[in-house]
Amino acid sequence: MDQERIASAITRVRETLAEHAETYRDSAATATLEAGLRVKVAGPDGEFMVTDMSAGVGGEGTAPSPGWIFRSAVASCVATLIAMRAAEEGVELPGLKVMVDSESDDRGLLGIGEVAAGPLSMRVIVRVQSTSDDAKVREIIEWGTAHCPVWDAVERAVPGQLTIELAGP
């Protein structure tokens, strides 16, 4: 039943976008420093999460780091897009798991040498059980990964802009 509901919703959105394609600005995530290196990030509809850094760099380790949240965003997005495509194709994927890890060098975030601040590489591993044809399952996984907006942002250079707003005393 979930697969039919998902597939139907995707069909409706595809039809709407085919007639009214446009870009839009995604909702903002606003980060506020709470204390130390603990940060609360809030969205426009009351959603929020908290991050902290490990004790090794001065945090208290009370919440996941921003880097872990980034990897979890990739993992959950890839899993979601695979599930969406599987629903469209009528393929059951029980036991779908997506793991994302990365290779990093903390010298970059500390400004030591000419090392990139972000991950040096990232890996997505998809594990799935299915009674469907392996080629079909592989096609669904590849399609879902290729259409995940978070993974897409990792794989290509997304233009960025920094705006600084200084408030007086």
Side-chain angles (χ1 to χ4, degrees):
M1 184 62 144
D2 270 353
Q3 279 200 315
E4 291 173 17
R5 181 183 55 77
I6 294 166
S8 177
I10 293 169
T11 298
R12 284 191 307 276
V13 170
R14 272 210 176 104
E15 290 169 356
T16 301
L17 290 176
E19 295 175 17
H20 309 288
E22 61 184 58
T23 61
Y24 58 91
R25 183 151 304 276
D26 296 311
S27 61
T30 303
T32 304
L33 185 63
E34 289 188 327
L37 298 178
R38 186 177 169 91
V39 175
K40 181 178 181 180
V41 184
D45 297 320
E47 59 275 355
F48 74 93
M49 66 180 197
V50 175
T51 66
D52 197 357
M53 295 297 284
S54 68
V57 293
E60 295 187 21
T62 62
S65 71
W68 186 87
I69 297 290
F70 177 53
R71 291 186 299 281
S72 69
V74 173
S76 65
C77 185
V78 168
T80 299
L81 269 289
I82 291 169
M84 288 170 63
R85 187 60 171 183
E88 283 188 289
E89 298 289 326
V91 173
E92 295 284 337
L93 298 178
L96 173 63
K97 290 187 180 185
V98 177
M99 183 189 80
V100 175
D101 66 9
S102 58
E103 181 181 7
S104 298
D105 185 333
D106 285 345
R107 291 177 297 172
L109 75 93
L110 297 173
I112 301 169
E114 299 295 320
V115 179
L120 304 173
S121 66
M122 190 169 277
R123 177 175 64 166
V124 176
I125 300 170
V126 179
R127 291 188 181 120
V128 65
Q129 297 172 335
S130 180
T131 57
S132 296
D133 175 62
D134 284 354
K136 184 65 175 176
V137 171
R138 183 174 298 281
E139 176 187 310
I140 288 168
I141 292 168
E142 289 172 353
W143 190 97
T145 304
H147 290 84
C148 165
V150 181
W151 182 242
D152 178 63
V154 169
E155 287 203 303
R156 68 180 170 88
V158 177
Q161 174 185 340
L162 172 64
T163 301
I164 299 173
E165 299 173 351
L166 300 175

